[in-house]
Amino acid sequence: MQHHNSPIPKRRVSRVVVFVAALTVLAIVGAYAVWRSGAPDRWAELDREWASVVAGAQPLLEGDRVRCAELARLLGRAEALGLDAEAERLVGLGHGAALDPHTLDPRTLDPELLAVLEAIERELEAGRVCMDEPGGEQGVTSLLASLRLLAHSAAMDGDRLRILLGYARRLQREGGLSAAAVGTMLARGLLDRIDADPTLLAELLKVDPPRPEELYASLLREHVRMTAALDPELGGAPPVTPSAELDRQGLALRRAVLADAERYRALAGDPARFGTAPTPAQPGFIALAYMQLFPGDVMLDAALLPMLAVDLGPQGAAFAELIERWQRLVEKR
C-alpha cells in the first residue's frame, strides 16, 4: 500500500505568509508603541545624563563671532599677504609639519605681514578671540600658520612665549576638538623652543600645565556645540531643554551624543588609552528595516551613533605625550 504526502494547499500557504507578515508588522508597530509609551520613564534619566555632559563641557562659551571679528579680519589680511608661502619659505613648514626648534629672523619677513602678526599676537593676549574656527575653516589654517611663525621668531622672549603658551592652553581648556588639537600642536612647538633655550623655562612655570581630563571635556564641548547648531532645541548650556520637549530627531541626536560620551568616560583621566575605546556598533538589520518603514523617526539614533563617534586615539596619544614632556621640563627647574 503506497502512501503519498499530501501537498499543502496553496491557500493555506498564503494564509501562513500573510499571518507571519502581519505578526512582523504588529511586532514593529508594537515596539514603536512600547517605546513611545515607555519614553516618559526614560526622560528623567536622559535629562540627568545630558545635564552631566553639559556640566562636563564647561566652560561652554557662546560662539560669539563679534569677539573674534578682529582676529578673523587680521587672519584674512595675513593670508592675502602670502602667509602660507612665507611660513613654508622661512621655516619649511607645510600644514601638517611638526614644529622644529630653529628660529627665523623677523627682518626677513614682509614688514606689513610682520605688523599683522604682531597685531594677531595682541588679540591673543587681550583674549578677544573665540575658541573654535575664527574666520571659518580657512581662518583656522591661517591662525596655525601665524602661530608657527610667531613661535619660530628669533625675537621670542619670555612675554611672547607666555602669551602663545597661554593661548595654547586656552584652546585646550575652552575649545572643541579642533581647537584642542591646534593648542597641542602649538604647545609642542613652544616646548621645542624651551628645549633649545633653557632661559625660557621660567616662563613655563607661570602657565598652568595641561591636565589629562581636558581632552575629554573638549569632546563634550564639541558634541554639545554641534548638537546646538544642528538642532537649536537642544540648547548649548543650562537650563537644558528637557528630553520630553524634544522632537524625535532631536531626541535621537541627544542619545547618539550620550553614547559617544559614554565610550570615553571611563578613560577620561588617561588620554593615552583613548585608542582602546570600544567601537560603536553599526545599526543592525532590524534597525535598518525600521528606519525604512518609519523614516525620520526615533531609530535615527542607530544611524547617528556611528556617524557621531569620534576616534580620539591619535589626539589622545599626542596630548598624553605633551603632558609627560611638560612635566619633564618642569622637573628640570
Side-chain angles (χ1 to χ4, degrees):
M1 185 177 190
Q2 290 185 329
H3 296 276
H4 299 281
N5 293 326
S6 301
I8 300 174
K10 292 183 179 180
R11 181 178 299 177
R12 184 178 299 177
V13 172
S14 299
R15 287 177 180 174
V16 170
V17 170
V18 170
F19 180 70
V20 171
L23 282 179
T24 301
V25 172
L26 286 174
I28 293 174
V29 174
Y32 173 76
V34 168
W35 185 93
R36 295 295 291 171
S37 63
D41 296 334
R42 286 276 295 149
W43 285 337
E45 183 179 348
L46 285 174
D47 288 343
R48 285 193 298 271
E49 292 175 356
W50 185 255
S52 175
V53 165
V54 173
Q58 302 301 321
L60 194 60
L61 305 180
E62 294 183 4
D64 185 358
R65 296 301 173 191
V66 174
R67 294 181 65 228
C68 63
E70 179 61 11
L71 177 62
R73 186 191 71 79
L74 290 169
L75 292 173
R77 181 60 183 154
E79 185 69 23
L81 292 170
L83 171 67
D84 287 347
E86 285 294 288
E88 186 149 358
R89 180 179 70 83
L90 290 171
V91 292
L93 292 175
H95 290 323
L99 284 166
D100 295 319
H102 59 272
T103 61
L104 62 90
D105 187 341
R107 292 172 298 182
T108 64
L109 281 174
D110 174 77
E112 190 173 359
L113 176 58
L114 178 60
V116 172
L117 291 175
E118 291 172 345
I120 288 173
E121 184 180 1
R122 289 193 293 272
E123 287 298 301
L124 302 183
E125 183 178 17
R128 293 188 296 266
V129 295
C130 52
M131 290 294 98
D132 287 278
E133 298 195 4
E137 184 177 347
Q138 182 58 44
V140 174
T141 302
S142 299
L143 175 61
L144 185 55
S146 301
L147 294 173
R148 283 172 163 170
L149 285 175
L150 289 168
H152 279 73
S153 173
M156 173 74 76
D157 57 13
D159 288 339
R160 172 166 288 179
L161 177 74
R162 190 170 58 254
I163 291 169
L164 294 179
L165 201 53
Y167 183 61
R169 294 293 296 118
R170 277 197 68 199
L171 290 170
Q172 293 170 329
R173 290 193 309 265
E174 302 175 22
L177 289 177
S178 59
V182 172
T184 296
M185 190 176 298
L186 174 59
R188 289 171 65 184
L190 294 170
L191 295 189
D192 288 340
R193 291 303 306 270
I194 295 173
D195 271 335
D197 184 1
T199 64
L200 296 171
L201 180 57
E203 300 303 322
L204 180 69
L205 304 179
K206 299 176 183 178
V207 180
D208 291 335
R211 294 178 288 111
E213 62 273 14
E214 288 173 344
L215 185 56
Y216 179 68
S218 72
L219 169 71
L220 301 184
R221 278 191 292 273
E222 185 84 9
H223 276 326
V224 173
R225 289 175 176 173
M226 180 272 300
T227 50
L230 292 179
D231 190 338
E233 286 188 341
L234 291 175
V240 177
T241 304
S243 297
E245 296 180 10
L246 295 179
D247 62 18
R248 291 175 296 189
Q249 293 190 25
L251 192 57
L253 188 60
R254 175 172 289 184
R255 285 175 162 166
V257 168
L258 291 173
D260 202 42
E262 179 63 26
R263 292 173 61 222
Y264 291 100
R265 184 172 299 159
L267 305 172
D270 191 2
R273 296 181 56 225
F274 278 4
T276 67
T279 302
Q282 299 294 320
F285 171 77
I286 294 178
L288 291 173
Y290 193 103
M291 284 185 282
Q292 292 295 322
L293 288 171
F294 301 99
D297 211 329
V298 293
M299 289 300 289
L300 270 174
D301 52 1
L304 286 171
L305 212 159
M307 184 176 72
L308 294 183
V310 178
D311 179 11
L312 282 181
Q315 194 167 344
F319 189 56
E321 180 186 9
L322 173 69
I323 293 173
E324 182 181 354
R325 190 175 173 201
W326 189 300
Q327 183 60 34
R328 287 201 307 267
L329 281 172
V330 168
E331 292 171 353
K332 285 183 178 180
R333 70 187 188 279

